Amino acid sequence: KNEVEQSPQNLTAQEGEFITINCSYSVGISALHWLQQHPGGGIVSLFMLSSGKKKHGRLIATINIQEKHSSLHITASHPRDSAVYICAVGTLVGETSGSRLTFGEGTQLTVNP
Amino acid sequence: DGGITQSPKYLFRKEGQNVTLSCEQNLNHDAMYWYRQDPGQGLRLIYYSQIVNDFQKGDIAEGYSVSREKKESFPLTVTSAQKNPTAFYLCASSPQWINTEAFFGQGTRLTVV
């Protein structure tokens, strides 16, 4: 079992729909990251959060530390939101060595006009 | 503009040849990372560097080598010892090794024929 599990693996939506992507993890974390990868491969960091909720434009990320679960929501989805969305967790390495990222496999989102 | 530059975007090499992938950042970040991405799998850590002249093996370091002679540069060499070198390679950096937001390059797609 992967340390970071995302669902669904693939998601197709119509423009305007509300979208939710889920991420569950099985390890203790220092922070959780949501990333966006467009065709062509470059990755953009959307959110880094360790508690509660963050909002940026039409994107909302929430995290429940007790349940080891995070969700990424997209409101009023648009075809330009089509991308792979990746959840990654930061886990501590040693006492002073900082943290490293462990990645989920990603969710391929396609928004049709 | 500050950012991470990977070059080239596409690279073809014959089997048995070593190849070096470039990663340069002008963000003044201390930490730099190399990840490998294969279809259907999450990003996996190859090597990381917390500071100039220091680097550590990640989860899949066999067949790879790196150097960190300058803060802004972290080149990755894929050697002939790497059994399955064809993959998408991503470089990332963060201000510190300790739990901060990561910034990613656009990636290099390496094909070995």
Side-chain angles (χ1 to χ4, degrees):
Chain A
K1 190 180 185 334
N2 293 336
E3 291 179 333
V4 181
E5 296 274 357
Q6 284 186 239
S7 63
Q9 286 188 328
N10 294 283
L11 181 56
T12 300
Q14 288 300 120
E15 184 172 355
E17 286 185 0
F18 181 84
I19 287 163
T20 296
I21 299 170
N22 296 299
C23 177
S24 296
Y25 52 92
S26 57
V27 295
I29 68 168
S30 51
L32 185 141
H33 304 248
W34 280 102
L35 311 168
Q36 181 190 57
Q37 185 173 31
H38 277 281
I43 289 180
V44 174
S45 177
L46 299 175
F47 296 103
M48 185 179 84
L49 65 165
S50 54
S51 64
K53 174 180 173 178
K54 286 190 175 180
K55 184 176 189 293
H56 182 70
R58 295 180 294 106
L59 301 178
I60 303 166
T62 63
I63 187 168
N64 184 318
I65 297 295
Q66 286 73 31
E67 294 186 4
K68 294 188 175 178
H69 181 269
S70 175
S71 293
L72 177 69
H73 306 286
I74 304 175
T75 63
S77 61
H78 190 276
R80 65 175 174 265
D81 297 326
S82 298
V84 175
Y85 291 84
I86 301 170
C87 171
V89 298
T91 53
L92 294 176
V93 178
E95 292 183 359
T96 59
S97 297
S99 65
R100 55 161 294 167
L101 293 178
T102 302
F103 296 82
E105 294 181 8
T107 295
Q108 172 69 62
L109 172 64
T110 302
V111 181
N112 294 318
Chain B
D1 287 336
I4 301 176
T5 301
Q6 287 188 244
S7 61
K9 189 167 183 176
Y10 299 96
L11 189 56
F12 296 87
R13 277 295 181 269
K14 290 185 178 179
E15 195 171 340
Q17 289 182 334
N18 291 354
V19 60
T20 297
L21 281 57
S22 169
C23 178
E24 304 276 331
Q25 53 98 359
N26 60 3
L27 300 164
N28 200 34
H29 286 172
D30 284 322
M32 296 187 74
Y33 315 80
W34 274 106
Y35 295 97
R36 171 181 170 137
Q37 188 176 39
D38 294 285
Q41 294 192 42
L43 291 156
R44 293 181 289 168
L45 182 64
I46 303 172
Y47 267 98
Y48 62 93
S49 170
Q50 298 173 245
I51 200 165
V52 176
N53 293 321
D54 181 69
F55 50 82
Q56 306 294 331
K57 292 182 179 180
D59 299 323
I60 54 167
E62 185 175 348
Y64 299 98
S65 66
V66 294
S67 63
R68 187 85 187 275
E69 297 175 2
K70 298 186 294 183
K71 187 175 187 177
E72 58 270 23
S73 179
F74 191 40
L76 173 75
T77 297
V78 185
T79 75
S80 57
Q82 168 49 235
K83 291 183 171 49
N84 296 297
T86 295
F88 187 67
Y89 292 89
L90 274 159
C91 178
S93 71
S94 60
Q96 302 171 47
W97 169 235
I98 298 177
N99 201 36
T100 55
E101 187 174 359
F103 295 78
F104 291 83
Q106 293 299 304
T108 294
R109 188 166 299 280
L110 172 65
T111 303
V112 176
V113 296

